[in-house]
Amino acid sequence: MANIFDYMIWRDIDIKNVEINEIDALILSRLSYFPLDNLNLENETITLKEAYNRYCNTENKGRILQKEDTELFPVLANSIRFGNILLSNYVNKIDNILEKQFSAITIELPDNTIFVSYRGTDNTIVGWKEDFNMSFKDLVPSQVDAVNYLNNIATKYKQNIRVAGHSKGGNLAVYASAFCNKEVNDRIIAIYNNDGPGFQKTVIDTNEYKNTIGRLHTYIPQTSIIGRLLNHKEATTIIKSTQTGIMQHDLYSWQLLGAHFIEDTLTNSSEFIDQTITNWLNEVSPEQREKFIDTLFEILNATQLSSKKFETAKIILSTYKNIDEESKEIISKTLSVFFHIAKNNIKLI
């Protein structure tokens, strides 16, 4: 079986000669995770090859979110297919007060289209907190930024647009495409959601969402967890991964043949987790979810400076003891409901 590294060996052909496909879209979705800070991509338009050269010559390499990114970076930069694509309008914003983590980049392709790539969750606490906030909020700050970013890019370029992302980036790609200005939406030719979570029912019931999903391509691995959260109405392609459990979220493990993913079926564990989380969300009110998640991340924030397991455990216990009784009760009741639902679902599989 093959992954995106094998694809780059097999299909190193100019995009002008062989059009963009679902594997290209996955690769370009991952490009937004690359260590692009300190390369001045906020203010300049440069080729991917030049971006890599700058990265190599930059003392401060920025955060590496996954080691495979630094392996893929030179492969793309030195390829015929992607080396000369143009990168611009890089944004990377983290706001602890607003509980927002947002990053995106715009890519000009040789087929006279632009490709907007949204980054998913990084390794910051605030990034994960914003993801969890989606369980009780119709709108989170990065979704607002995603819409504004797409509208702004569309004023700078006149070409047709592809929009994509992986994980939360997939959610942002769908949301931005649905709720951008109508004249921008009309220029969108494809949206790629790679194992991104869904939305609250209030979002998927809107005409804007319904009018967009005909151009939406959603891909999830066979034991998907992240990509099955919340509500989806679009058709979904289930693909094979070489990883297990939640590690299948790693797009470097996704398997392909030629220019297409190898399709599969959902596993029992994916169905179990999806049903458990769905039932839990139905039984726990949005207010209870918010209190539970705020308390949980208050504890996590207290531990993030420690790298020692024993010390971390002590901090967790100490932080838990010091929270108010109402918060303790919310945690206890919320976890009790979750485990009760999980126990009942186990009997059904």
Side-chain angles (χ1 to χ4, degrees):
M1 291 189 286
N3 62 16
I4 55 180
F5 285 102
D6 301 297
Y7 172 82
M8 286 306 303
I9 295 171
W10 172 73
R11 173 145 290 183
D12 194 11
I13 303 169
D14 197 306
I15 291 170
K16 290 179 181 177
N17 299 325
V18 179
E19 66 181 2
I20 288 286
N21 58 56
E22 59 199 41
I23 312 302
D24 295 314
L26 181 68
I27 290 170
L28 294 175
S29 295
R30 190 64 204 181
L31 198 152
S32 59
Y33 287 82
F34 284 11
L36 302 174
D37 297 290
N38 310 315
L39 305 184
N40 204 33
L41 284 169
E42 301 87 349
N43 306 308
E44 289 185 61
T45 298
I46 61 174
T47 65
L48 178 55
K49 188 176 183 68
E50 173 59 23
Y52 179 68
N53 289 337
R54 288 187 186 184
Y55 169 76
C56 291
N57 294 312
T58 300
E59 215 171 291
N60 183 1
K61 303 292 189 196
R63 286 188 304 145
I64 309 299
L65 298 176
Q66 192 168 336
K67 70 178 183 63
E68 287 88 349
D69 293 344
T70 56
E71 296 167 7
L72 186 61
F73 202 168
V75 171
L76 301 184
N78 294 307
S79 70
I80 297 169
R81 192 156 183 80
F82 293 111
N84 290 317
I85 61 175
L86 296 172
L87 310 182
S88 64
N89 297 278
Y90 175 65
V91 174
N92 187 19
K93 297 187 286 187
I94 294 175
D95 190 318
N96 290 302
I97 303 299
L98 294 177
E99 296 180 341
K100 174 178 70 177
Q101 171 255 318
F102 174 76
S103 185
I105 191 163
T106 296
I107 304 158
E108 292 180 69
L109 298 175
D111 64 354
N112 197 34
T113 64
I114 60 170
F115 191 105
V116 173
S117 177
Y118 291 109
R119 180 186 294 180
T121 310
D122 60 14
N123 52 12
T124 60
I125 289 288
V126 69
W128 283 103
K129 177 64 161 61
E130 187 175 40
D131 285 0
F132 277 79
N133 288 348
M134 289 180 179
S135 72
F136 61 87
K137 288 184 175 181
D138 290 345
L139 184 64
V140 295
S142 62
Q143 290 171 333
V144 175
D145 277 16
V147 172
N148 292 336
Y149 182 89
L150 185 56
N151 282 333
N152 181 53
I153 290 301
T155 64
K156 297 181 178 181
Y157 301 90
K158 302 307 177 188
Q159 302 100 308
N160 284 336
I161 307 166
R162 293 182 178 89
V163 191
H166 168 253
S167 191
K168 183 180 77 174
N171 173 283
L172 298 183
V174 178
Y175 191 90
S177 299
F179 295 99
C180 62
N181 295 334
K182 185 182 183 307
E183 58 271 25
V184 178
N185 180 280
D186 289 342
R187 289 165 52 193
I188 296 172
I189 56 176
I191 308 144
Y192 299 91
N193 175 15
N194 297 293
D195 207 30
F199 302 92
Q200 298 289 343
K201 191 173 185 300
T202 50
V203 173
I204 66 169
D205 284 343
T206 62
N207 288 330
E208 289 88 348
Y209 177 87
K210 292 175 183 176
N211 292 337
T212 300
I213 59 174
R215 288 164 282 172
L216 174 56
H217 308 275
T218 294
Y219 305 93
I220 63 173
Q222 72 265 33
T223 310
S224 174
I225 297 172
I226 306 298
R228 301 196 72 198
L229 295 175
L230 300 175
N231 299 288
H232 294 263
K233 278 192 175 179
E234 76 275 19
T236 300
T237 301
I238 302 157
I239 58 179
K240 183 176 287 295
S241 164
T242 55
Q243 286 281 15
T244 58
I246 196 167
M247 294 306 295
Q248 289 193 354
H249 191 56
D250 176 8
L251 59 77
Y252 287 103
S253 73
W254 294 5
Q255 298 300 287
L256 52 97
L257 182 63
H260 300 284
F261 292 114
I262 296 174
E263 296 189 22
D264 208 320
T265 56
L266 287 170
T267 61
N268 287 340
S269 57
S270 178
E271 297 283 16
F272 164 72
I273 293 168
D274 177 61
Q275 194 60 53
T276 299
I277 293 175
T278 299
N279 290 346
W280 179 77
L281 290 173
N282 287 336
E283 291 201 23
V284 178
S285 72
E287 293 76 21
Q288 288 174 311
R289 289 178 230 156
E290 180 175 9
K291 186 66 174 177
F292 172 75
I293 289 165
D294 283 347
T295 305
L296 175 64
F297 276 86
E298 180 183 335
I299 295 170
L300 290 176
N301 270 317
T303 67
Q304 65 178 319
L305 296 178
S306 174
S307 59
K308 299 178 181 178
K309 291 181 181 179
F310 181 71
E311 185 178 311
T312 298
K314 285 174 61 179
I315 294 170
I316 289 173
L317 288 173
S318 175
T319 306
Y320 180 78
K321 285 179 182 177
N322 291 328
I323 62 175
D324 61 84
E325 291 303 316
E326 181 188 357
S327 296
K328 287 180 182 176
E329 186 178 0
I330 286 288
I331 286 179
S332 176
K333 286 184 177 178
T334 304
L335 288 175
S336 176
V337 170
F338 183 83
F339 289 124
H340 176 72
I341 290 170
K343 182 180 178 182
N344 288 340
N345 282 343
I346 286 174
K347 297 175 184 176
L348 300 177
I349 64 174

